[in-house]
Amino acid sequence: MTLRPIRLLAGAALSLALASCGTTYSMPGIADETNSRASTMFAEAKTAAPRSPISESAGVNRFARVARRIEPVARQLCETELAQGKAVDCDVKLELDREMQQRNAYFTYAEAGNRSPVIRFSVPLLQDTGNDDEVAFIMGHEYGHLIGRHIQKGQQQAIAGALILGVITAAASAQGGGYYDQTAVENSMELGAMVGQRAYSQTYELESDMLGTRISHAAGYDPVKGAQFFARDEAARSGGGQLSFWGTHPPDEKRMAMVLATMEQIQGQQALTRKASQ
């Protein structure tokens, strides 16, 4: 492999990486006072005593009740994205994952047919919730991954990362006068794909928190009350250390601060609207 094709591949990979990074929406700024409030709420929630799970039927009923209110609000926001020319399928299936024993919820695409978007909740997670606000925030958060196109962006970043590290490895061999080591390049591409996919994962979680706040609030729920569930100590949330929803989304005061900052932004916009109408 000569240096010119290597440079061309590196340029293409870098362009792909830059095109796929970042959030879809502008994130609200977080003031020092908001960070302080978030830290206090986070600390208080972490020390909350464990609570007894609700029955399976109560958890399933809570899921259905919340879904009826969240779905139309999230769909409307999703369809706004379609109106702006973004390729987003808003026909989301809200399902229970009855096989999963972990306390978790996730957004994915169905493997069969046209890969329609799916949001699934495990029954143990629903049983662990203390109110409808918590389920509403989780559901809004998962819709945020759809609306923010996080799976597609992650895939693009994985491709870009694989290309970049693969090109670097190939270039190092070429410039050193050595032979082309296909195994080394493949290993580098695997590592690059992993790094690329994770590069903006926490940024996307924050964006989903922001969108989840807006969706759950618009549906009539209290997102601050809902988000406090995720700041509770892992043992309190997952009963015996089983993987929970927040176990795959590292707890951080920054995420609580994002919810508070988004609510401050919403309330500020509402105040301006009221003032303009007077």
Side-chain angles (χ1 to χ4, degrees):
M1 181 178 289
T2 64
L3 292 182
R4 178 175 174 77
I6 288 173
R7 292 194 186 100
L8 290 175
L9 279 173
L14 181 59
S15 297
L16 178 59
L18 293 174
S20 62
C21 70
T23 59
T24 301
Y25 291 85
S26 297
M27 310 288 273
I30 301 177
D32 291 342
E33 182 179 350
T34 302
N35 274 321
S36 178
R37 183 183 169 202
S39 295
T40 300
M41 293 176 65
F42 186 84
E44 290 174 350
K46 282 201 72 172
T47 59
R51 59 193 179 204
S52 300
I54 61 177
S55 68
E56 179 175 336
S57 60
V60 171
N61 288 339
R62 174 170 284 165
F63 172 81
R65 183 169 60 246
V66 171
R68 285 194 295 269
R69 288 171 57 178
I70 290 290
E71 192 277 335
V73 173
R75 176 183 284 271
Q76 183 177 17
L77 178 57
C78 184
E79 289 175 348
T80 299
E81 289 299 293
L82 282 178
Q84 296 175 356
K86 296 184 176 67
V88 181
D89 181 358
C90 300
D91 187 17
V92 179
K93 291 181 174 62
L94 295 169
E95 299 178 347
L96 295 174
D97 187 336
R98 292 188 177 275
E99 295 183 1
M100 179 177 286
Q101 296 305 307
Q102 299 163 336
R103 289 158 170 79
N104 207 356
Y106 57 94
F107 166 71
T108 188
Y109 286 94
E111 293 299 326
N114 61 357
R115 288 178 54 81
S116 58
V118 181
I119 292 174
R120 296 192 179 106
F121 278 64
S122 73
V123 173
L125 174 65
L126 293 166
Q127 291 180 271
D128 203 34
T129 58
N131 51 62
D132 288 10
D133 298 289
E134 294 175 352
V135 175
F137 183 81
I138 298 171
M139 199 172 288
H141 173 96
E142 297 304 332
Y143 266 106
H145 285 306
L146 164 70
I147 296 168
R149 297 175 294 138
H150 295 157
I151 288 180
Q152 292 89 336
K153 288 185 176 184
Q155 291 170 341
Q156 291 172 349
Q157 287 154 6
I159 293 171
L163 285 173
I164 289 171
L165 278 192
V167 166
I168 290 172
T169 302
S173 297
Q175 291 176 338
Y179 68 94
Y180 178 77
D181 188 339
Q182 183 173 347
T183 300
V185 172
E186 289 176 352
N187 289 339
S188 294
M189 291 183 73
E190 288 181 9
L191 176 62
M194 181 179 67
V195 172
Q197 193 164 31
R198 293 182 180 179
Y200 290 87
S201 60
Q202 289 305 305
T203 302
Y204 295 155
E205 293 303 328
L206 286 172
E207 183 174 47
S208 287
D209 289 341
M210 183 268 289
L211 289 167
T213 299
R214 289 191 168 276
I215 290 169
S216 56
H217 175 266
Y221 294 102
D222 182 347
V224 176
K225 185 178 179 181
Q228 288 183 59
F229 169 73
F230 307 119
R232 286 191 291 144
D233 183 72
E234 177 67 19
R237 284 182 283 110
S238 60
Q242 295 182 47
L243 180 65
S244 72
F245 172 85
W246 211 242
T248 56
H249 303 67
D252 193 326
E253 291 93 332
K254 182 186 294 186
R255 305 191 64 182
M256 184 69 75
M258 177 57 65
V259 174
L260 293 174
T262 303
M263 279 305 302
E264 291 167 1
Q265 189 178 66
I266 291 171
Q267 291 162 353
Q269 292 167 343
Q270 290 174 336
L272 288 174
T273 301
R274 287 194 298 269
K275 186 176 180 179
S277 63
Q278 291 175 352

